[in-house]
Amino acid sequence: MSHGLMEPTELSSSLSETPGDIGQETCFKGRRIIRMSNVKKRRSEDDGYTSDSSLIFYRGPNHPHPLPQKLEVPVKLSNFSLSESKIDTMGQSRSKPDRIASKRSSSEENGTPQNNNNVTRPTIIIQDAMTGKEIETTSNDLQETTESPAESESSNLNSEEIVNARYKRSFVLQELLETEQNYVLDLDIIVHSYMEEIKNIDLPEGLKGKEKIVFGNIRAILAFHRDKFLPGVQQFHDNPQELGALFTKYEKQLRLYITYCENKPRSEYIVTEFMSTFRKLSQQVNRKFQIQDLLIKPIQRIMKYQLLLKDILKYTERAHEPVISLHKAMDVMHAVPQAANNMMEVGRIDGFEVKLAVHGTILLQDTLHVAEFKIKKSEDRKYKLRRVFLFEQIFLICDLCESPTMGHYYKHRNSIKVSELRLVETVHQEPFSFVLSSTRNANIDMYIQTRTAEVKEEWTRAILEMQTLTCIYKPAQLK
């Protein structure tokens, strides 16, 4: 017959059915216990777990073993681990009795003073889950040191959130590393397979001398990623702060993609025109990917960095770690792809004889409704969709065109130097429109209609910022 302690829930159920006075001995399943307080089964709001909190369950005085002087009980604390109850019977070997619970008496809960002069409070042993050390305390000490339920729950939730955020971030960091390695392999195939093999085949007359246009500056992009960027990602792929600094460190080299994207439309045109030649080239280098599939990868990659950094930043914030370097990296990887996309659209402009690079950086480009005419009567305006470009020194309007070989492209239609622009911001009955005219040709006005007030403000503000002191700005109301 076991002489271990009884389960608190089982015992309390029995005691609830057989009320008695404090100190009264009660028999339960052939064992004697001492009622230490009135039974009151409840959920403890203070300590965050359910128990028969008004009882201290001891062996009765007639138990074969003496009353223990030291009890070890399971205590639920956020800073400590739960362990099985043990009993130290004054020097005797420890055994593993049933679990017990130690709580304050009902008189303490009701605010009634209790005489503790002759009461020997049991020593409670708890084990620190972090250090493994055993700490002796009493029930009074626990009341003073135990966190409130709200604090404990908040601490646990914060810890779980941090662990979960770091766990999810690790997958994004690993994806960045693996895709970077694969990307370098793809660039290597272009440079050391296609670019080398094309030297050894007979090219059509129209293709000779245009190989550099097809591949652009992809050799320089490979050298940067292979020798600098990939080693940096390998070194810091598990350190988000240093990884963010890597993007800002190589901002200048990442602008190689702007040049590549500007050349990409011309490259596409040549590959499409001589598709049969490049198919034979793919067969000779024994590659499953066509050359156009490989040439699009740099554009896909420069766009992908922003998405990966966005997720890394999100999970780093949730992990409550520093994010300054990641925010700076996001700024870089927002500006570079945007500039690259703008220049790729510029590369589709046909019929503009002067090289656009001499007109400075492109600031804005969009498809807007434009009306060009000499007569200023509103009823005569006929708006048509045009592609509009604003550079630091020139404003361009182009027609939208489509070709089986070139795809979509833009045909230059009109242009005005920024220093010669006259801007009228207000148009009668057209809140989203503004007017541009040339100070050198007063006969032509370009009415430009945007989609929203925000788009209009973006364009007019950019034009005003680029105008120098020699620019003429005369606000007026057109009717």
Side-chain angles (χ1 to χ4, degrees), residues 1-12 28-29 31 33 56-59 63 68 70-75 83-89 94-102:
M1 178 177 177
S2 172
H3 297 289
L5 296 179
M6 293 164 251
E7 289 291 342
T9 55
E10 186 180 17
L11 177 58
S12 63
F28 179 74
K29 292 187 178 181
R31 305 174 188 177
I33 66 151
I56 301 178
F57 302 120
Y58 296 116
R59 287 185 169 92
H63 193 277
K70 180 188 287 186
L71 296 177
E72 190 176 58
V73 300
V75 181
S83 61
E84 285 194 32
S85 302
K86 299 177 183 178
I87 183 167
D88 188 341
T89 55
R94 290 190 177 189
S95 61
K96 291 186 177 180
D98 296 336
R99 187 168 294 181
I100 60 176
S102 176

Side-chain angles (χ1 to χ4, degrees), residues 2 9 11 19 23 39 61 116 121 128 135 183 186 223 237 244 253 264 329 340 344 373 376 390 418 440-441 465 470:
S2 172
T9 55
L11 177 58
V39 176
N116 297 324
R121 297 190 178 276
D128 192 322
I135 304 173
Y183 176 58
D186 291 335
H237 80 279
Q253 288 85 340
K264 189 64 173 62
M344 187 158 57
F373 47 83
K376 300 181 179 180
L390 176 63
V418 171
R440 299 183 63 180
N441 188 350
E465 288 176 353
T470 59

Side-chain angles (χ1 to χ4, degrees), residues 292-462:
Q292 61 268 30
D293 298 327
L294 292 171
L295 291 176
I296 197 67
K297 286 187 177 291
I299 298 175
Q300 294 172 336
R301 189 60 184 169
I302 196 64
M303 302 299 178
K304 182 68 172 178
Y305 287 130
Q306 186 177 3
L307 299 176
L308 292 170
L309 281 173
K310 184 178 180 180
D311 284 341
I312 294 172
L313 173 61
K314 176 177 66 176
Y315 293 128
T316 303
E317 286 177 335
R318 292 180 182 179
H320 304 287
E321 296 178 5
V323 293
I324 295 177
S325 64
L326 289 173
H327 276 294
K328 292 180 179 179
M330 281 292 294
D331 291 340
V332 171
M333 295 320 299
H334 173 75
V336 172
Q338 184 178 44
N341 181 66
N342 286 340
M343 292 309 296
M344 187 158 57
E345 294 300 295
V346 169
R348 301 186 187 278
I349 298 176
D350 183 40
F352 192 76
E353 297 180 357
V354 180
K355 193 173 182 180
L356 287 168
V358 302
H359 294 292
T361 304
I362 182 171
L363 304 176
L364 292 172
Q365 53 99 14
D366 201 352
T367 299
L368 303 174
H369 286 88
V370 180
E372 304 167 76
F373 47 83
K374 298 179 182 180
I375 302 174
K376 300 181 179 180
K377 293 181 180 180
S378 59
E379 59 271 16
D380 295 333
R381 295 173 198 157
K382 295 180 180 179
Y383 286 97
K384 293 184 179 181
L385 281 177
R386 308 290 188 199
R387 195 67 181 183
V388 183
F389 298 86
L390 176 63
F391 290 79
E392 289 178 322
Q393 299 177 17
I394 197 168
F395 180 86
L396 268 70
I397 293 181
C398 302
D399 292 330
L400 303 174
C401 303
E402 194 76 24
S403 167
T405 55
M406 295 180 63
H408 78 277
Y409 67 100
Y410 311 116
K411 186 74 174 179
H412 173 250
R413 182 180 181 86
N414 208 340
S415 59
I416 306 175
K417 291 182 179 180
V418 171
S419 60
E420 298 175 356
L421 277 177
R422 177 184 286 113
L423 170 65
V424 179
E425 295 185 71
T426 305
V427 179
H428 182 62
Q429 294 183 346
E430 295 184 16
F432 302 154
S433 299
F434 61 94
V435 182
L436 293 176
S437 60
S438 172
T439 58
R440 299 183 63 180
N441 188 350
N443 295 324
I444 298 179
D445 291 319
M446 293 184 290
Y447 285 72
I448 300 172
Q449 189 178 77
T450 63
R451 295 177 296 276
T452 64
E454 290 74 19
V455 175
K456 174 186 174 179
E457 182 183 359
E458 182 182 23
W459 278 88
T460 55
R461 184 176 65 248

Side-chain angles (χ1 to χ4, degrees), residues 75-118:
V75 181
K76 185 171 183 180
L77 293 174
S78 60
N79 298 332
F80 300 98
S81 63
L82 296 173
S83 61
E84 285 194 32
S85 302
K86 299 177 183 178
I87 183 167
D88 188 341
T89 55
M90 299 181 64
Q92 298 182 16
S93 61
R94 290 190 177 189
S95 61
K96 291 186 177 180
D98 296 336
R99 187 168 294 181
I100 60 176
S102 176
K103 295 296 294 179
R104 294 174 296 175
S105 67
S106 298
S107 59
E108 292 174 328
E109 294 174 356
N110 297 330
T112 306
Q114 186 176 5
N115 187 359
N116 297 324
N117 295 335
N118 299 322

